[in-house]
Amino acid sequence: MIRLITMIVIVMCLTSATTFDPTPADIRLRLTPNLYEASTNTIYVDVEMRYEGTKTFTLADQNYRLYYDTKSLSLDPSQCHSDLPYDLYSQVQFHEEIKHASADHINQLSFDDDLGFVNFSIDLINENNGGLALSSDAGWARVAILKFDLLAEHPASIVWGRDKATDEYATAFVEIMEWKGPNQIVPARVQEYHDAQINPPVKEEDESYLSLDASPNPAKEFVKLDLGNPLAGTKISISNASGTIVQQTRSLPHITQMSIDLSPLNAGTYTIKVQDESTGERKQVTIVKVK
């Protein structure tokens, strides 16, 4: 009887071990300046994630660490929020915020003489049932929105806390966890980080005009748009051959160039339409997406 019980326990352990895959998933992270509000001189930055893998990635807890230039930017935690489903995740929780720190003896980041730091997290509420499932063909998913006040007219950077980039300031970096099963959460592997460059608006007396050029064309993963010199923001939409809009986004005021991620789209012919939000002027161009 004792031997039988022992064998049953061993079989159960082996069975549970085979259902749990400890291999870390590969993801990418990026910060994308999104909406500029001229009336309040504030800018919203998207925190985005993309899964790179052959299976499905179920997002669990997240712990984010960012550094930014406090001469040019001031974070407003009260207006930052999670973009994940409220029934699955907590709201953004801020744990530490540092402003105007002097780190000029390190000289690692360009703004380390007036360094800002913020640590915030988003937690999975139900570890038994899991959270949002991301597939590799889903593209970039927005997980949070951060609001910054613009304090100066020169460009400013927001940098992910990560190895070989901010290790002189702290040894704790961004952590993204994957839900593997009930109460089985493991760290994911962040393969790539995209920092943000904030370019404040230029003076209104500059000449405003809208144009549109797309390159390369045909394009494989990304297409770069030359927008001329729009003083206001521009609405951008991509339609397939049937006229159905498959992507929409917008540029900030005074942005003259931007890249569009085409990787979620199938191969084919698409029309990119751009509209100046101030004048209503429109431009469009046809591109070809190849495999």
Side-chain angles (χ1 to χ4, degrees):
M1 178 63 72
I2 295 177
R3 288 183 179 179
L4 178 59
I5 294 174
T6 304
M7 290 178 62
I8 293 174
V9 171
I10 292 174
V11 170
M12 291 177 62
C13 291
L14 290 175
T15 302
S16 61
T18 56
T19 59
F20 176 70
D21 179 12
T23 306
D26 292 332
I27 60 172
R28 297 180 182 180
L29 293 175
R30 76 178 181 185
L31 299 166
T32 305
N34 186 350
L35 177 63
Y36 170 70
E37 290 185 348
S39 59
T40 57
N41 204 32
T42 57
I43 190 168
Y44 293 86
V45 177
D46 294 345
V47 179
E48 297 178 299
M49 175 185 304
R50 181 171 181 171
Y51 168 60
E52 301 286 346
T54 58
K55 299 180 181 179
T56 301
F57 174 82
T58 303
L59 180 62
D61 301 335
Q62 306 136 70
N63 196 354
Y64 297 102
R65 293 175 172 88
L66 299 174
Y67 296 86
Y68 62 97
D69 182 0
T70 48
K71 283 183 178 178
S72 301
L73 300 171
S74 178
L75 180 68
D76 184 357
S78 66
Q79 298 299 315
C80 301
H81 63 86
S82 167
D83 206 36
L84 297 172
Y86 290 0
D87 58 334
L88 298 178
Y89 296 92
S90 71
Q91 270 298 297
V92 172
Q93 304 170 77
F94 286 88
H95 307 290
E96 185 177 11
E97 184 182 6
I98 299 173
K99 293 185 177 181
H100 307 293
S102 177
D104 52 1
H105 63 285
I106 294 176
N107 197 29
Q108 186 176 16
L109 297 174
S110 60
F111 50 87
D112 66 357
D113 57 339
D114 211 320
L115 191 73
F117 168 77
V118 63
N119 172 212
F120 63 93
S121 65
I122 302 173
D123 295 334
L124 178 65
I125 294 175
N126 192 330
E127 295 186 1
N128 288 316
N129 299 325
L132 186 67
L134 301 176
S135 61
S136 58
D137 59 357
W140 291 95
R142 186 171 67 184
V143 298
I145 304 173
L146 307 178
K147 180 184 177 183
F148 289 88
D149 297 318
L150 297 180
L151 306 178
E153 295 183 354
H154 57 78
S157 299
I158 308 174
V159 178
W160 292 103
R162 64 188 187 272
D163 188 25
K164 298 179 181 178
T166 61
D167 49 295
E168 294 294 334
Y169 302 103
T171 57
F173 309 123
V174 171
E175 296 173 304
I176 307 297
M177 308 300 289
E178 179 184 10
W179 184 87
K180 293 280 192 176
N183 298 306
Q184 294 177 336
I185 294 178
V186 299
R189 180 169 48 206
V190 182
Q191 291 284 71
E192 193 172 55
Y193 294 88
H194 295 270
D195 301 326
Q197 180 76 6
I198 308 298
N199 296 302
V202 296
K203 295 180 180 179
E204 288 297 322
E205 56 263 25
D206 290 351
E207 180 184 2
S208 173
Y209 64 92
L210 179 69
S211 63
L212 179 59
D213 182 60
S215 63
N217 191 8
K220 192 176 273 189
E221 291 189 351
F222 291 89
V223 61
K224 184 179 76 172
L225 302 183
D226 288 314
L227 303 174
N229 186 36
L231 294 185
T234 55
K235 296 179 180 178
I236 301 170
S237 65
I238 302 179
S239 303
N240 60 21
S242 301
T244 303
I245 296 177
V246 294
Q247 275 194 29
Q248 292 187 92
T249 185
R250 56 161 41 98
S251 71
L252 294 171
H254 312 286
I255 294 297
T256 60
Q257 293 182 340
M258 67 180 298
S259 292
I260 301 292
D261 183 7
L262 300 178
S263 57
L265 302 181
N266 296 324
T269 301
Y270 295 89
T271 300
I272 300 179
K273 297 181 181 180
V274 176
Q275 180 178 3
D276 189 307
E277 292 184 311
S278 176
T279 65
E281 184 181 4
R282 300 178 182 181
K283 301 286 183 180
Q284 71 178 49
V285 64
T286 299
I287 65 165
V288 176
K289 164 68 169 24
V290 295
K291 293 182 179 179

